[in-house]
Amino acid sequence: ERHFLDRLAFETDPADVAVQLRDAPDQIVLVDTRSSEAYAEAHIPGAVSLPHATIDDATLAALPPDALVVTYCWSISCNAATKGAARIAALGRPVKEMIGGIGAWEAEGFAVERASHQRAT
């Protein structure tokens, strides 16, 4: 039981994130820990791009100080969200990792903002 309760303290899922974004958007900030290029191609609406290797006191200062930070990356096989969450926790901010990343978010039917590519004619 302790193991699973501990996991819930540090992990969340797309459905729970969507509810919190709907019901208390000022209490959560979604952080995309992938590269800036990956974020530009597709990201969860409202997410902030903060590649995990760039997370420090200065980059965190731009985020709401009292909000829960929720990190995400590509999928369950990506550890950028874990790396980002570890950095954020080390800097003393409340943080959770969204398991499954943007892939699980989209698979559950939630919106993803994508770059629009136009063909040259």
Side-chain angles (χ1 to χ4, degrees):
E1 177 186 18
R2 180 80 262 149
H3 167 77
F4 294 107
L5 291 173
D6 287 346
R7 285 186 63 189
L8 290 172
F10 300 105
E11 296 177 349
T12 189
D13 66 10
D16 288 344
V17 169
V19 167
Q20 192 163 6
L21 287 170
R22 182 192 70 214
D23 294 349
D26 58 328
Q27 295 176 13
I28 183 173
V29 60
L30 202 51
V31 172
D32 187 320
T33 58
R34 303 171 303 149
S35 70
S36 298
E37 296 79 17
Y39 175 89
E41 286 294 317
H43 60 273
I44 296 171
V48 174
S49 177
L50 198 52
H52 68 86
T54 69
I55 296 172
D56 59 20
D57 281 324
T59 57
L60 280 184
L63 303 181
D66 297 326
L68 171 67
V69 179
V70 175
T71 62
Y72 75 89
C73 59
W74 289 106
S75 67
I76 196 73
S77 62
C78 175
N79 68 5
T82 305
K83 290 176 181 178
R87 284 178 173 251
I88 293 165
L91 293 168
R93 295 288 298 271
V95 62
K96 286 188 176 188
E97 178 182 357
M98 186 177 78
I99 55 176
I102 194 171
W105 176 268
E106 191 167 29
E108 290 193 31
F110 299 116
V112 172
E113 290 183 4
R114 297 190 185 287
S116 60
H117 297 287
Q118 297 180 351
R119 281 191 211 180
T121 55

